[in-house]
Amino acid sequence: MRLTMKIPKKFFPVVFAFFLSSVMVLVISGVTTLLNVGITPDFLFRWLRAWLLTWCVAFPVAIFVAPLARRLTERVIG
């Protein structure tokens, strides 16, 4: 028998914001780091540092902006 723990559905907005902000910031910080410093011996360190610092801002912003983005989208979609 396999035991699976799931997070309750009421936490969907927070978990969604966590995953979305994590992936978006990972990609954007990687591109920005690459453009600013190029491929250097410490590129990975710089990228992960940039990701962590910017994710700490992006995650809370994503939580609070998501409802506004949802309402705006509902206004412009048929």
Side-chain angles (χ1 to χ4, degrees), residues 4-15:
T4 304
M5 291 182 56
K6 289 200 172 191
I7 297 171
K9 288 191 185 288
K10 68 180 180 178
F11 294 109
F12 180 89
V14 175
V15 175

Side-chain angles (χ1 to χ4, degrees):
M1 186 170 151
R2 184 174 172 181
L3 213 57
T4 304
M5 291 182 56
K6 289 200 172 191
I7 297 171
K9 288 191 185 288
K10 68 180 180 178
F11 294 109
F12 180 89
V14 175
V15 175
F16 180 78
F18 172 82
F19 287 122
L20 181 64
S21 64
S22 296
V23 173
M24 290 297 293
V25 171
L26 183 69
V27 171
I28 299 304
S29 63
V31 170
T32 304
T33 303
L34 182 64
L35 291 173
N36 284 320
V37 301
I39 301 283
T40 61
D42 64 343
F43 172 78
L44 187 59
F45 171 77
R46 287 174 180 257
W47 180 10
L48 293 178
R49 181 172 181 260
W51 172 80
L52 181 60
L53 292 173
T54 52
W55 180 80
C56 288
V57 174
F59 178 51
V61 168
I63 290 172
F64 290 108
V65 171
L68 172 63
R70 191 170 288 117
R71 285 193 302 272
L72 290 171
T73 303
E74 288 171 352
R75 283 187 178 181
V76 298
I77 298 296

